[in-house]
Amino acid sequence: MTAIQRVFSGVQPTGNLHLGNYLGAIVNFVKLQENFDCMYCVVDLHALTMPMNVWGGPEGLVRTTREVTSAFIASGIDPKKHIVFNQSQVSGHAELAWIFNCVARIGWLNRMTQFKEKAGKDRENASVGLYDYPVLMAADILVYRATHVPVGDDQKQHLELARDIAQKFNNDFGDSIRGNGFNTGLFFPQPEPLITGPATRVMSLRDGTKKMSKSDPSEYSRINLTDDADTIAQKVRKAKTDPEPLPSEEKGLEQRPEADNLVGIYAALAGKAKADVLREFGGAQFSSFKNALVDVCVTRLAPIATEMKKLMADPGYVDSVLIDGGDRARAIADETIRATKDIVGLIHKR
Ligand code: TYM
């Protein structure tokens, strides 16, 4: 096996794909296609870790899996040049997760803040899968021995865990790794998080201190990728602001989370730096800035929503993309699983 530079990332099919997912992740997925072999995965097994009402039950899961796939394609991901698939089609993810379960330590998982947030107060009632979520995530990445992982800021800790698991596996099985012909002793790479762009953490439109999230009960907290122009305009106009006009320098955004968030969104969508946006709008009232924000949102997002709608109307095509991607992903994963079994000492058919 030769080590290559490979990008892997995943998005959960839990509905309400939003501007945060787009700016924090998907925009970067699109850019990275130029320089890397990329794999973009709809992580349906991860969706199952939440209660069924979150992912909508079996029919909901099928629909949202197609929706995320459509969003990938509509945003500019090329499923012929790169690999787009859903996680559950490749059994290597779950197989490697089991081996990693025996490498990762309980203490490491106990430190995961996202588990604490998602489990809420009733931790005893959270699924075992939710607790184990970051281990499956490490397996997603490492079953392809991926080297780069574009994600939003909220996934940083999970990426650190993936790096720790890769390192511990390489240490624990170092002799066997070398004995199996990997002379460097580094079977799994240390995957590097790519947390880039002006909007790695997009905040709620209702509360600038809270992350924009799929699970926020208020529709006005987020712009969904499926929103039409009128809905986008309504949500932006209702977005929370403060009474001051916009500052003309970035330091004027400190202690003004809502203003900071809206300026960040504008900058990301317009492809500008925040400082440039403030140079243009410094001193303006929010009412006029919001008009400009609606324009840039609609210009960037409405074509994606239209294309998504078209794709969603052709589930046969969307499924064929996933199946073709699944076949190509499986070929890579199977190779890693065979080598991992040799390294660990698990007998398998040759
Ligand atoms: P998920 O489905 O919650 O989110 C998908 C991507 O969107 C980013 N994101 C945000 N970025 C900026 N601002 C926000 N408000 C915002 N909300 C979400 C996330 O950081 C993510 O990049 N655990 C992952 C899915 C996953 C994965 C993987 C990712 C499973 N296996 C392997 C990378 C590699 C998640 O929950 O994504």
Side-chain angles (χ1 to χ4, degrees):
M1 261 194 281
T2 45
I4 68 158
Q5 300 260 296
R6 177 176 283 134
V7 162
F8 179 95
S9 197
V11 175
Q12 291 195 71
T14 36
N16 295 337
L17 210 57
H18 54 70
L19 188 62
N21 302 127
Y22 181 68
L23 294 176
I26 299 175
V27 165
N28 293 327
F29 297 0
V30 174
K31 278 198 201 125
L32 289 162
Q33 294 183 110
E34 285 168 32
N35 298 318
F36 290 90
D37 281 344
C38 301
M39 307 186 68
Y40 296 126
C41 184
V42 187
V43 289
D44 47 8
L45 297 176
H46 275 111
L48 302 182
T49 61
M50 290 302 276
M52 201 183 275
N53 66 322
V54 174
W55 46 272
E59 281 169 24
L61 190 59
V62 167
R63 192 180 51 74
T64 49
T65 300
R66 288 179 181 144
E67 187 178 289
V68 175
T69 312
S70 302
F72 283 172
I73 301 170
S75 304
I77 291 169
D78 182 344
K80 288 213 170 75
K81 289 207 185 109
H82 300 273
I83 297 180
V84 171
F85 70 110
N86 58 312
Q87 184 187 29
S88 60
Q89 282 200 82
V90 182
S91 57
H93 293 241
E95 275 184 83
L96 189 60
W98 184 260
I99 294 172
F100 284 173
N101 275 334
C102 305
V103 173
R105 308 287 91 182
I106 288 178
W108 298 0
L109 288 182
N110 283 343
R111 286 196 282 275
M112 294 294 114
T113 54
Q114 199 158 78
F115 171 75
K116 291 174 197 164
E117 280 161 28
K118 287 199 174 177
K121 289 204 178 71
D122 194 5
R123 206 174 290 181
E124 292 284 306
N125 202 28
S127 73
V128 176
L130 186 66
Y131 184 71
D132 202 31
Y133 180 115
V135 176
L136 178 60
M137 184 164 157
D140 296 339
I141 299 164
L142 294 170
V143 82
Y144 303 105
R145 301 168 85 210
T147 50
H148 295 82
V149 186
V151 282
D153 179 69
D154 62 342
Q155 297 301 311
K156 204 169 172 181
Q157 195 185 34
H158 288 160
L159 258 296
E160 276 158 19
L161 185 91
R163 292 166 65 87
D164 289 344
I165 290 176
Q167 190 173 21
K168 186 166 190 313
F169 182 95
N170 289 343
N171 284 343
D172 290 357
F173 293 99
D175 290 342
S176 182
I177 289 172
R178 276 181 285 272
N180 276 282
F182 298 94
N183 299 331
T184 58
L186 301 174
F187 179 64
F188 288 116
Q190 294 265 292
E192 208 180 294
L194 300 175
I195 303 174
T196 54
T200 56
R201 192 174 178 80
V202 177
M203 309 309 275
S204 157
L205 299 182
R206 305 300 301 159
D207 177 351
T209 63
K210 257 178 42 189
K211 198 178 68 173
M212 185 177 285
S213 132
K214 293 170 184 166
S215 57
D216 194 311
S218 167
E219 273 294 319
Y220 282 94
S221 69
R222 66 182 160 260
I223 295 176
N224 293 324
L225 289 188
T226 47
D227 285 345
D228 59 23
D230 286 346
T231 312
I232 293 174
Q234 242 178 25
K235 288 180 176 179
V236 170
R237 297 225 162 85
K238 282 211 168 166
K240 186 175 169 201
T241 52
D242 55 41
E244 303 297 316
L246 281 167
S248 43
E249 284 179 33
E250 259 188 284
K251 65 174 185 325
L253 292 172
E254 282 165 19
Q255 317 297 328
R256 297 180 66 185
E258 283 82 20
D260 189 20
N261 189 38
L262 295 184
V263 170
I265 292 173
Y266 184 96
L269 287 171
K272 292 183 177 165
K274 272 191 194 173
D276 293 332
V277 176
L278 293 178
R279 218 163 290 138
E280 194 179 337
F281 290 97
Q285 297 297 328
F286 274 105
S287 51
S288 66
F289 177 66
K290 279 182 171 181
N291 287 337
L293 185 56
V294 169
D295 283 348
V296 72
C297 279
V298 170
T299 309
R300 279 292 293 276
L301 302 180
I304 296 176
T306 308
E307 188 58 26
M308 278 177 75
K309 219 180 249 165
K310 252 194 240 161
L311 288 161
M312 293 287 286
D314 190 358
Y317 168 72
V318 175
D319 291 4
S320 75
V321 165
L322 292 174
I323 288 162
D324 172 61
D327 289 344
R328 288 188 285 145
R330 196 175 304 110
I332 305 169
D334 284 354
E335 210 181 324
T336 307
I337 294 291
R338 280 196 295 273
T340 306
K341 285 184 171 175
D342 288 337
I343 290 164
V344 175
L346 301 166
I347 294 173
H348 61 99
K349 189 174 167 191
R350 280 167 204 283

